[in-house]
Amino acid sequence: MQRTGAFESTTTSNEGPRTVGAFNGPIGEVIEISGSSSQVRFDGAALARQSGAEDPSLATAGQVGSQIKIRLGSTWLVANVRSLRVDPQQAGSVIGFIDFLGEGDEERLTGKIYNFRRGITRYPTPGGQVFPVSGQDMRQMYAADDRAFIEVGTVYPTKDIRGAVYVDAMLGKHFALLGSTGTGKSTSAALILHRICELAPQGHIVMIDPHGEYSAAFKTNGALFDVTNLAMPYWLMNFEEHCEVFVTTQGSERQTDSDVLAKCLLAAKSKSRAAEGISKLTVDSPIPYLLSDLTNFITAEMGKLDKAGDNAPYMRLKTKIDEIKSDPRYSFMFSGMLVADNMAGFLGRIFRLPGDGKPISIIDVSGVPSDITSVVVAVLARMVFDYAIWSRNEPQRPILLVCEEAHRYVPNEANSQKSAVGKILGRIAKEGRKYGVSLGLITQRPSDLAEGVLSQCGTIIAMRLNNERDQAFVKAAMPEGARGFLDTIPALRNRECIICGEGVAIPVRVSFDPLEDHKRPASSDPLFSELWKESGGEEEILTRVIKRWRAQGK
């Protein structure tokens, strides 16, 4: 049986439908235009015929998340199908709600799209015919231009069209990688960072790794730091961070303790040789000082008091400082060996200045005592930002700061204790790009992030999100045209994502490339059914674990 019509010409045989045309005929018409979102009426029979096309782009035409095109003069307008419903007025038809993405010129001989650009200059009129977007059209739409880019996967639903992300646009205006636990978020983050490192082997990337996952992924091209080799000097902390570590009280007592600490800390820093010649020395200046000098000044101030009852703030501070000095868990930061003025060496190691072919630093904070983890992250983030501010008259070395589990460090008002780390990461989100600091946030709970931080991220890479609150939060942060794509977030497969914002020409659904085993983070889920079949050696396991546990080391 052969059927020819306005929509397409196909032949049916025992082998199923095959193409006589190219499934490129009209599949519907425009029925309503209203700003960014408009309506089209699809011919149900035409959509059914499209499913027989070998080109996956043509086969999925008219489905939710697919692209369609509308001719306007010598221009093709491209739109994304956001949602579908049955047409109550016309049997066999389907109403589609669409969002316009961009436009491209029409090639005269073939009718294909070329010179595609974001946004549209004119709207079509109701009655205009709707056509499917082919794989060749998709190739033109998602073709990378001459800007620096990285390829991270293939564009859905194709198997060979590469999904490219523009690095300068993505890093220049920050980015966020979002996805529920188990969607492949850590592996995808490693993939993106590996691609950036390959593009820029002399780059400067600092990654905060709270679970110790990423060291395994960057053994060959990264500098790996944990509590055994971080050696972060305590005197790099500013006054607010000193207070978070040393001041344990709340309310009016906290203010009193902070005043005492400020006076004695300034005296201890003034005694340092590095402070000589500095006329505007403050409690925030990163000047080396001895912790013993600080406790001596506290004791001396306490000796000047008239009544013994007034010495509680001094005793609290002195006790806390002595406790931290003697606790081996804090030795990576509060060791007496770290009093030397090695600030240049520390910044050079962490910021990869020079990179020596290892452009990324992985800072594993899983071994840091939980009560000062946020302070350690705050110091690292503030060092990045302060370095950028004070190096403005030098040759520029932009730094990318990547923060895994970002909702821990920049929480929303409901979860916030006004910590130093939340303030500095919020400031980097708002002001960092002016100074050449890029922020990459990775989280599975975007709704727990501080309000405004996600909207500062110019590029959002959204993997599957199961929580409705998280989905709504992401949609609210995105431009109108991308919301049709974001409606598909709950239906994404593992290792699939929607990329929208500055880093891509138009929103795109991408299936991430597989990553070689030696480049993958140590984040795979345990296979209970397999591991619970194994036995033997439990006594030796317990002995080794307890030894590490007691020594507080790996």
Side-chain angles (χ1 to χ4, degrees):
M1 177 190 77
Q2 192 173 42
R3 175 177 176 177
T4 305
F7 290 105
E8 186 50 64
S9 170
T10 61
T11 298
T12 303
S13 67
N14 294 335
E15 300 167 357
R18 62 184 176 82
T19 310
V20 169
F23 291 89
N24 285 320
I27 56 173
E29 63 177 353
V30 178
I31 58 172
E32 182 183 312
I33 294 294
S34 56
S36 62
S37 182
S38 304
Q39 292 182 41
V40 298
R41 178 184 286 119
F42 289 117
D43 180 285
L47 294 185
R49 285 196 297 274
Q50 288 297 123
S51 64
E54 291 181 8
D55 182 341
S57 304
L58 293 173
T60 57
Q63 296 182 14
V64 171
S66 67
Q67 278 84 48
I68 57 166
K69 60 185 181 180
I70 302 160
R71 185 186 279 114
L72 188 61
S74 60
T75 302
W76 283 116
L77 307 183
V78 177
N80 181 62
V81 180
R82 187 202 300 179
S83 60
L84 298 170
R85 64 174 172 82
V86 171
D87 186 351
Q89 298 177 342
Q90 194 165 318
S93 294
V94 178
I95 300 295
F97 294 83
I98 62 171
D99 297 312
F100 287 106
L101 298 174
E103 63 184 18
D105 300 324
E106 181 183 12
E107 212 171 69
R108 283 192 177 181
L109 294 176
T110 63
K112 293 172 185 170
I113 295 173
Y114 73 100
N115 190 25
F116 182 81
R117 57 260 178 202
R118 195 177 191 164
I120 61 173
T121 50
R122 290 190 297 162
Y123 286 97
T125 53
Q129 287 186 319
V130 173
F131 295 82
V133 167
S134 68
Q136 284 294 330
D137 294 333
M138 297 270 278
R139 200 177 298 280
Q140 281 293 326
M141 288 161 53
Y142 293 109
D145 57 30
D146 54 3
R147 291 179 287 171
F149 66 89
I150 54 171
E151 292 182 344
V152 294
T154 53
V155 176
Y156 174 88
T158 71
K159 294 284 187 281
D160 58 347
I161 296 175
R162 302 295 290 157
V165 180
Y166 297 111
V167 173
D168 293 324
M170 180 175 81
L171 301 186
K173 295 183 180 174
H174 311 313
F175 71 94
L177 173 59
L178 318 169
S180 295
T181 303
T183 55
K185 188 170 72 277
S186 299
T187 306
S188 303
L191 171 71
I192 291 167
L193 292 174
H194 273 299
R195 294 284 193 269
I196 294 173
C197 290
E198 289 162 10
L199 179 74
Q202 297 302 322
H204 311 283
I205 305 171
V206 179
M207 181 172 203
I208 310 295
D209 177 12
H211 299 305
E213 297 175 317
Y214 290 91
S215 294
F218 293 93
K219 284 177 182 171
T220 57
N221 61 341
L224 313 179
F225 300 96
D226 58 18
V227 290
T228 62
N229 66 346
L230 182 58
M232 184 168 78
Y234 57 86
W235 45 264
L236 288 177
M237 293 189 293
N238 65 12
F239 180 61
E240 184 180 8
E241 292 148 5
H242 271 93
C243 289
E244 281 197 28
V245 177
F246 293 146
V247 179
T248 55
T249 49
Q250 298 297 328
S252 59
E253 284 187 340
R254 186 174 184 83
Q255 186 58 53
T256 304
D257 291 8
S258 298
D259 292 342
V260 171
L261 179 61
K263 185 176 182 181
C264 298
L265 184 59
L266 187 58
K269 289 189 174 186
S270 301
K271 193 176 174 185
S272 169
R273 185 182 301 172
E276 292 174 6
I278 298 177
S279 58
K280 296 180 181 178
L281 186 67
T282 71
V283 284
D284 287 331
S285 302
I287 299 292
Y289 70 90
L290 290 168
L291 285 171
S292 56
D293 283 345
L294 178 57
T295 51
N296 289 341
F297 278 113
I298 291 172
T299 305
E301 287 295 316
M302 189 164 53
K304 297 176 185 176
L305 298 173
D306 297 332
K307 293 186 295 183
D310 294 338
N311 69 359
Y314 299 88
M315 289 304 298
R316 281 194 295 263
L317 284 170
K318 188 172 183 302
T319 304
K320 184 65 177 177
I321 294 167
D322 289 340
E323 175 193 316
I324 285 177
K325 275 173 65 179
S326 60
D327 191 332
R329 295 178 305 150
Y330 297 90
S331 61
F332 74 94
M333 188 172 179
F334 291 94
S335 166
M337 305 293 289
L338 297 173
V339 73
D341 186 3
N342 62 343
M343 187 171 175
F346 177 76
L347 295 184
R349 284 190 306 137
I350 301 300
F351 297 168
R352 313 309 302 146
L353 294 165
D356 294 328
K358 293 186 174 184
I360 185 168
S361 291
I362 305 294
I363 317 290
D364 175 3
V365 294
S366 60
V368 174
S370 58
D371 55 335
I372 66 162
T373 302
S374 65
V375 174
V376 171
V377 177
V379 173
L380 291 167
R382 189 177 50 76
M383 287 289 109
V384 170
F385 191 63
D386 285 355
Y387 173 80
I389 287 175
W390 295 109
S391 64
R392 275 181 292 179
N393 296 327
E394 302 292 336
Q396 199 173 22
R397 299 287 186 271
I399 298 173
L400 166 60
L401 176 65
V402 183
C403 206
E404 173 69 275
E405 296 280 352
H407 57 276
R408 285 190 188 186
Y409 306 119
V410 254
N412 57 25
E413 291 296 323
N415 305 321
S416 173
Q417 275 88 43
K418 303 292 183 189
S419 63
V421 67
K423 289 178 185 174
I424 185 59
L425 288 176
R427 191 177 177 198
I428 290 174
K430 292 184 180 79
E431 304 172 31
R433 62 192 184 88
K434 300 175 189 172
Y435 302 106
V437 177
S438 177
L439 184 63
L441 300 177
I442 305 170
T443 179
Q444 69 260 33
R445 293 306 306 271
S447 60
D448 286 346
L449 282 173
E451 190 176 354
V453 170
L454 194 61
S455 59
Q456 296 289 339
C457 294
T459 304
I460 290 186
I461 304 166
M463 304 182 77
R464 189 174 67 250
L465 287 165
N466 300 324
N467 185 292
E468 281 187 25
R469 198 160 129 258
D470 290 329
Q471 294 165 20
F473 200 80
V474 174
K475 285 180 193 173
M478 290 314 300
E480 278 288 333
R483 293 189 186 177
F485 277 87
L486 295 175
D487 283 337
T488 63
I489 282 177
L492 292 173
R493 296 172 294 184
N494 283 359
R495 290 186 34 251
E496 272 193 349
C497 71
I498 304 293
I499 308 177
C500 40
E502 302 293 333
V504 286
I506 54 173
V508 57
R509 180 173 170 179
V510 169
S511 178
F512 280 118
D513 290 335
L515 199 55
E516 300 95 315
D517 285 346
H518 70 279
K519 292 183 176 181
R520 297 167 70 90
S523 59
S524 55
D525 296 326
L527 297 172
F528 287 80
S529 59
E530 294 295 324
L531 296 174
W532 279 356
K533 292 175 185 174
E534 299 174 5
S535 64
E538 281 80 3
E539 288 182 12
E540 292 84 353
I541 291 172
L542 286 167
T543 302
R544 292 192 297 269
V545 168
I546 291 169
K547 184 178 178 183
R548 285 197 297 271
W549 196 339
R550 286 174 173 165
Q552 296 288 299
K554 291 189 175 181

